[in-house]
Amino acid sequence: MTVKAKKYLGQHFLKDEQIANNIADCLTQNGYSTVLEIGPGMGVLTKYLLQKNYTTHVIEIDKESVAYLEEHYPSLASNIISKDFLKIDLASQFNNEQVAIIGNFPYNISSQILFKAIENRAVVPEFAGMFQKEVALRIAEKEGSKVYGIISVLTQAFYDVEYLFTVPPTVFNPPPKVDSGVIRLIRKENFMLPVNEKLFFKVVKTSFNHRRKTLRNSLKPFNLSDDLTKDSIFTKRPEQLSVQEFINLTSKIEKDVV
Ligand code: SAH
């Protein structure tokens, strides 16, 4: 018995063993002894994770896939979490232990998976996985590019991102419509911001609400003082700002009193 792919769960099963092995090799194994695979499906990647020196756990929303895994990977049985990754409390699930995340992610929720990891970065030292290529490139992109955006800044504020390799649609069953890309995120040594985090997220999101406008225009909702908006940074557009400049900008906004 195999699992019949369900489109609404973003199921595209990898059928290339070598690529599964290459993805499993993406984790550096530094600084953790527990790994969580999101969306194992029929376990093509899990099989290679189980050969490594860490303890592998998996979380899978599809009951049919869970039954398949229980049957085919008895050694994994006690480490299968039959739940929706987006709904668990990650830190308490793993007793505040460090846990690296990996997966060939369901593309319909891949950004939400990443944002959840970022929120939980205190317990997520590393994150590797497959996204739609376009999304993977956007996450890794630097300032000055058209695809640099909210997800690039919010990820790179806390993680060093590396685009590793591209995977064609032909190696999946059923094949997705687009290329896929594998990236790896390694948490920065200092992953706490020197500014108010909520404000930073708000500044980044508001700035990119209107990519083509200058920050002076986009950030009007913040009601900033004329004194502050005289600063030349406000003549820029969001895609021109590095992560550090967004942090500096947040710091200035934090101190601004109208
Ligand atoms: N890793 C497997 C399957 C990838 S398809 C392979 O490479 O072949 C994506 C998997 O994510 C599917 O098994 C799907 O059931 C699972 N999934 C989808 N939404 C999920 C969620 N919210 N939480 C956990 N798993 C999910």
Side-chain angles (χ1 to χ4, degrees):
M1 260 299 280
T2 57
V3 177
K4 194 168 177 299
K6 302 171 189 72
K7 206 173 169 191
Y8 68 97
L9 289 178
Q11 290 182 335
H12 294 280
F13 298 117
L14 243 185
K15 50 182 192 183
D16 186 310
E17 296 285 332
Q18 187 55 50
I19 291 176
N21 195 2
N22 293 348
I23 296 175
D25 278 343
C26 287
L27 292 175
T28 66
Q29 309 194 41
N30 285 328
Y32 50 86
S33 52
T34 305
V35 169
L36 175 64
E37 185 195 354
I38 300 172
M42 284 184 281
V44 61
L45 175 57
T46 323
K47 185 167 44 190
Y48 296 100
L49 299 175
L50 287 170
Q51 294 171 8
K52 307 279 185 191
N53 257 338
Y54 43 70
T55 311
T56 297
H57 297 246
V58 300
I59 183 161
E60 173 57 67
I61 199 171
D62 177 30
K63 298 274 184 298
E64 199 188 344
S65 294
V66 168
Y68 181 96
L69 292 166
E70 283 169 346
E71 188 186 329
H72 290 85
Y73 301 93
S75 68
L76 182 68
S78 59
N79 290 337
I80 300 176
I81 308 163
S82 179
K83 286 185 185 159
D84 179 343
F85 173 73
L86 296 178
K87 294 203 177 134
I88 61 161
D89 179 340
L90 187 63
S92 64
Q93 181 83 41
F94 289 95
N95 298 318
N96 284 312
E97 250 182 72
Q98 296 293 299
V99 50
I101 289 176
I102 194 165
N104 164 19
F105 301 125
Y107 293 160
N108 49 342
I109 57 162
S110 63
S111 303
Q112 289 173 71
I113 290 174
L114 175 55
F115 281 122
K116 178 155 182 161
I118 291 171
E119 252 170 58
N120 286 278
R121 65 190 177 279
V123 292
V124 183
E126 210 168 289
F127 180 104
M130 187 134 66
F131 291 77
Q132 285 178 36
K133 183 182 180 188
E134 189 198 326
V135 178
L137 287 173
R138 184 186 295 277
I139 295 165
E141 193 57 273
K142 297 288 181 199
E143 68 272 17
S145 145
K146 277 206 174 79
V147 303
Y148 178 71
I150 295 171
I151 203 167
S152 335
V153 178
L154 298 184
T155 307
Q156 293 169 36
F158 308 109
Y159 290 91
D160 292 319
V161 183
E162 206 179 333
Y163 185 93
L164 299 174
F165 54 91
T166 300
V167 179
T170 45
V171 301
F172 297 91
N173 182 22
K177 291 204 172 69
V178 292
D179 275 343
S180 300
V182 176
I183 54 172
R184 176 178 59 214
L185 280 51
I186 297 182
R187 191 176 59 197
K188 292 180 190 253
E189 206 151 303
N190 186 358
F191 56 89
M192 297 304 287
L193 292 177
V195 293
N196 181 296
E197 188 185 309
K198 273 206 178 119
L199 183 63
F200 174 72
F201 276 60
K202 207 168 149 200
V203 168
V204 173
K205 286 180 181 166
T206 314
S207 300
F208 278 105
N209 263 343
H210 307 280
R211 293 188 73 89
R212 306 190 50 81
K213 286 194 185 171
T214 63
L215 296 178
R216 185 170 293 134
N217 280 319
S218 296
L219 297 179
K220 279 208 170 116
F222 284 89
N223 241 335
L224 302 169
S225 70
D226 292 343
D227 236 20
L228 178 61
T229 53
K230 270 194 297 209
D231 193 313
S232 62
I233 197 168
F234 286 91
T235 63
K236 294 193 178 184
R237 288 189 295 188
E239 69 194 39
Q240 296 175 284
L241 264 61
S242 67
V243 172
Q244 188 56 50
E245 285 173 307
F246 270 111
I247 295 173
N248 299 346
L249 174 65
T250 307
S251 168
K252 287 176 185 171
I253 292 177
E254 208 168 30
K255 293 187 194 117
D256 191 44
V257 198
V258 183

